[in-house]
Amino acid sequence: DIVMTQSPDSLAVSLGERATINCKSSQSVLYSSNNKNYLAWYQQKPGQPPKLLIYWASTRESGVPDRFSGSGSGTDFTLTISSLQAEDVAVYYCQQYYSTPLFTFGPGTKVDIK
Amino acid sequence: EVQLVESGGGLVQPGGSLRLSCAASGFTFSSYEMNWVRQAPGKGLEWVSYISSSGSTIYYADSVKGRFTISRDNAKNSLYLQMNSLRAEDTAVYYCARDLELGVLDYWGQGTLVTVSS
């Protein structure tokens, strides 16, 4: 199984400042035949289901604000919120779908306002 | 508007059974693969099961294999999860989720809570 880890477990950022979340996979999720990273990011606010933010490591889902961006390749990935807004308080999960449909999620990173 | 509405959760004793349902609307259900994902209280997300658009291909997480059965009725736009031999560790909110492509889950239901306790 591909194991996903995230860091930090939680972070507090001032409004308008940058938030950076890291995700690491136990093996590469880059599929060589199409040069795509099988990595997605989800946002989950309290009492709500997860919401898809980014897939293919850097493709933003329709309607997602452009302050959210994804980067990385192979085993190391980053979700960046360029200017944190109050509505961004949530837990963020990375997910690998390289081994789809037996995909796995990271443990989550909680983002709060400082 | 895409909607996924789960139902069927509740309190059940260890060893008992429950059948979850997910009613889909706002899209061509028969064209999409579907998944069940669960979240134990205060914990992270765990994929449970996958079913192809036709229902011909099915996968399960090792933690539920042999106890849970996923199915779908494309005529009724519905997804199901039959859960048998339930254990305390199956306590979670169960979400149905649409598979955009290859495991990218673009729409999720609000979830239904399953509590396994005596």
Side-chain angles (χ1 to χ4, degrees):
Chain A
D1 291 6
I2 299 177
V3 177
M4 307 300 291
T5 56
Q6 290 182 231
S7 63
D9 294 334
S10 64
L11 74 161
V13 176
S14 300
L15 289 172
E17 295 300 306
R18 179 184 301 261
T20 301
I21 301 168
N22 300 301
C23 173
K24 190 174 183 69
S25 57
S26 60
Q27 65 186 72
S28 176
V29 298
L30 174 63
Y31 198 46
S32 56
S33 65
N34 59 11
N35 201 36
K36 286 188 171 184
N37 288 284
Y38 285 51
L39 191 285
W41 289 95
Y42 298 84
Q43 174 194 65
Q44 187 177 31
K45 297 180 180 180
Q48 295 185 19
K51 173 188 173 183
L52 175 65
L53 294 178
I54 286 169
Y55 55 102
W56 300 126
S58 60
T59 300
R60 203 177 299 115
E61 170 70 334
S62 175
V64 173
D66 60 7
R67 62 180 181 273
F68 291 93
S69 64
S71 63
S73 184
T75 61
D76 293 279
F77 300 90
T78 300
L79 175 70
T80 301
I81 310 173
S82 60
S83 176
L84 191 74
Q85 305 300 304
E87 61 265 31
D88 301 334
V89 169
V91 178
Y92 293 83
Y93 295 93
C94 61
Q95 174 220 6
Q96 67 79 17
Y97 47 100
Y98 183 89
S99 59
T100 194
L102 285 72
F103 45 80
T104 49
F105 296 90
T109 295
K110 186 177 182 182
V111 174
D112 275 319
I113 304 295
K114 185 187 291 183
Chain B
E1 178 194 5
V2 171
Q3 282 200 318
L4 298 169
V5 179
E6 301 94 337
S7 61
L11 175 63
V12 61
Q13 292 188 338
S17 298
L18 274 180
R19 189 194 195 207
L20 306 184
S21 299
C22 172
S25 61
F27 66 102
T28 305
F29 180 71
S30 59
S31 296
Y32 286 86
E33 300 159 3
M34 297 293 295
N35 293 269
W36 287 98
V37 177
R38 68 184 180 183
Q39 186 170 36
K43 302 298 184 182
L45 301 168
E46 179 189 16
W47 169 77
V48 172
S49 186
Y50 157 96
I51 188 167
S52 63
S53 56
S54 66
S56 61
T57 301
I58 286 171
Y59 291 95
Y60 300 98
D62 286 344
S63 57
V64 307
K65 201 174 295 182
R67 301 186 299 121
F68 289 12
T69 302
I70 191 172
S71 62
R72 66 191 295 162
D73 185 336
N74 286 342
K76 294 184 177 180
N77 292 335
S78 293
L79 175 72
Y80 306 101
L81 187 68
Q82 176 67 43
M83 304 186 297
N84 298 331
S85 304
L86 283 161
R87 307 166 180 168
E89 55 264 37
D90 295 319
T91 294
V93 174
Y94 284 74
Y95 297 102
C96 64
R98 190 179 83 165
D99 198 316
L100 172 64
E101 58 172 322
L102 297 174
V104 177
L105 306 180
D106 64 341
Y107 283 95
W108 299 60
Q110 287 296 315
T112 187
L113 176 62
V114 172
T115 303
V116 184
S117 175
S118 55

